[in-house]
Amino acid sequence: MAVKARSMVAPPVVSGWQGFYIGGNVGAGWADTTFTGIPVTGDHFLLPGLSRSTGWGDANVVGGIQAGYNWQWDRFVLGIEGTYSGSGVKNSTGIIVDPVFAGQNTRLNSKIDQYATIVGRAGFAPTNDWLLYGKGGYAAGHIKTHAEDFFPLPATLQHFSDSSAWHNGWTAGVGVEYKWMRNWVFGVEYDYYSFDTKNHSNATVSTVAGAPGAPTFYSQDVKTNMSTVVLRASYLFNPAAVVARY
């Protein structure tokens, strides 16, 4: 009878991860931008085909919002998520020798000021309260660039030019989340972004009248990769009840 009684006990029902969620995130990001010269008459910031990389710069603040939906089957969770973030991630080549005019220097700067993603997520919930997941999909980043030249060395700014563009790309990441009191979800996430090459171009502005060697145009191909680590907080609406299996 004891064995029969135990067999009639229903398996435990737990609060699941399924449902719609919305929240915010904040963290740090760092990036590497590559500038490549193209054949444009009047541009002397880079020669055609010559590339300069900023290298991975110092971390800067990123933060934004996320919203998505999870479906759960036993311990497996699939979902779709959209994010939009603002960013202070910026880079610079530092002062480099002008490839055209001897005795003159140039500097190429970039900044990712906003980015957005649409991704799929796949996760495993080892317990009711924890979720381990990976994610990947489409990403777009808005990148600003600022080119400068200096003569005589090193301090006098002679000319500058600004440009900006949205770059398509992709992202992939991993994360871990903890669910507190059924509805509140806290987590940490790492993401890598690769934004495709796009041309940045604009006319230059002279800061000194009659400045020597004036470039008339700025035109470079720009590609940026970025990494971020963020802390996340979300509210999960109406999480579904699922039967726990052990």
Side-chain angles (χ1 to χ4, degrees), residues 122 160 169 211 226 236:
F160 68 89
M226 179 174 69
L236 177 63

Side-chain angles (χ1 to χ4, degrees), residues 5-13 243:
R6 283 196 299 268
S7 66
M8 295 176 62
V9 175
V13 176
V243 175

Side-chain angles (χ1 to χ4, degrees), residues 49-116:
L50 182 65
S51 293
R52 288 289 183 268
S53 174
T54 63
W56 290 92
D58 296 333
N60 293 270
V61 174
V62 298
I65 57 175
Q66 71 269 351
Y69 193 91
N70 291 325
W71 293 268
Q72 184 170 359
W73 295 270
D74 198 6
R75 295 296 178 184
F76 296 96
V77 178
L78 296 179
I80 186 170
E81 180 179 274
T83 70
Y84 174 80
S85 301
S87 166
V89 175
K90 53 188 176 181
N91 296 95
S92 176
T93 61
I95 298 293
I96 57 178
V97 175
D98 190 300
V100 177
F101 293 95
Q104 185 161 292
N105 281 355
T106 65
R107 180 167 59 196
L108 302 170
N109 310 284
S110 71
K111 180 180 180 180
I112 305 170
D113 66 341
Q114 52 187 314
Y115 57 98

Side-chain angles (χ1 to χ4, degrees), residues 12-228:
V13 176
V14 297
S15 172
W17 289 88
Q18 184 160 313
F20 172 77
Y21 62 89
I22 188 169
N25 63 80
V26 65
W30 55 101
D32 176 27
T33 297
T34 299
F35 297 85
T36 302
I38 66 173
V40 174
T41 301
D43 180 12
H44 73 203
F45 292 102
L46 284 179
L47 290 172
L50 182 65
S51 293
R52 288 289 183 268
S53 174
T54 63
W56 290 92
D58 296 333
N60 293 270
V61 174
V62 298
I65 57 175
Q66 71 269 351
Y69 193 91
N70 291 325
W71 293 268
Q72 184 170 359
W73 295 270
D74 198 6
R75 295 296 178 184
F76 296 96
V77 178
L78 296 179
I80 186 170
E81 180 179 274
T83 70
Y84 174 80
S85 301
S87 166
V89 175
K90 53 188 176 181
N91 296 95
S92 176
T93 61
I95 298 293
I96 57 178
V97 175
D98 190 300
V100 177
F101 293 95
Q104 185 161 292
N105 281 355
T106 65
R107 180 167 59 196
L108 302 170
N109 310 284
S110 71
K111 180 180 180 180
I112 305 170
D113 66 341
Q114 52 187 314
Y115 57 98
T117 70
I118 300 176
V119 300
R121 300 203 318 168
F124 176 74
T127 72
N128 179 48
D129 298 325
W130 290 94
L131 177 67
L132 310 174
Y133 65 90
K135 60 185 289 189
Y138 171 78
H142 187 256
I143 301 173
K144 295 181 176 181
T145 57
H146 178 72
E148 305 167 295
D149 68 11
F150 303 85
F151 182 87
L153 300 181
T156 304
L157 177 64
Q158 300 285 323
H159 315 95
F160 68 89
S161 184
D162 295 296
S163 185
S164 64
W166 278 97
H167 293 236
N168 293 320
W170 58 269
T171 181
V174 294
V176 57
E177 290 182 326
Y178 174 75
K179 181 154 52 65
W180 178 66
M181 294 184 66
R182 291 178 59 94
N183 298 99
W184 289 102
V185 179
F186 302 97
V188 60
E189 181 177 289
Y190 166 79
D191 295 296
Y192 179 83
Y193 302 84
S194 180
F195 299 116
D196 296 341
T197 300
K198 198 164 189 178
N199 182 256
H200 285 223
S201 61
N202 211 342
T204 60
V205 176
S206 293
T207 61
V208 178
T216 59
F217 214 76
Y218 158 67
S219 186
Q220 311 295 335
D221 284 343
V222 176
K223 177 174 176 54
T224 296
N225 299 319
M226 179 174 69
S227 290
T228 64

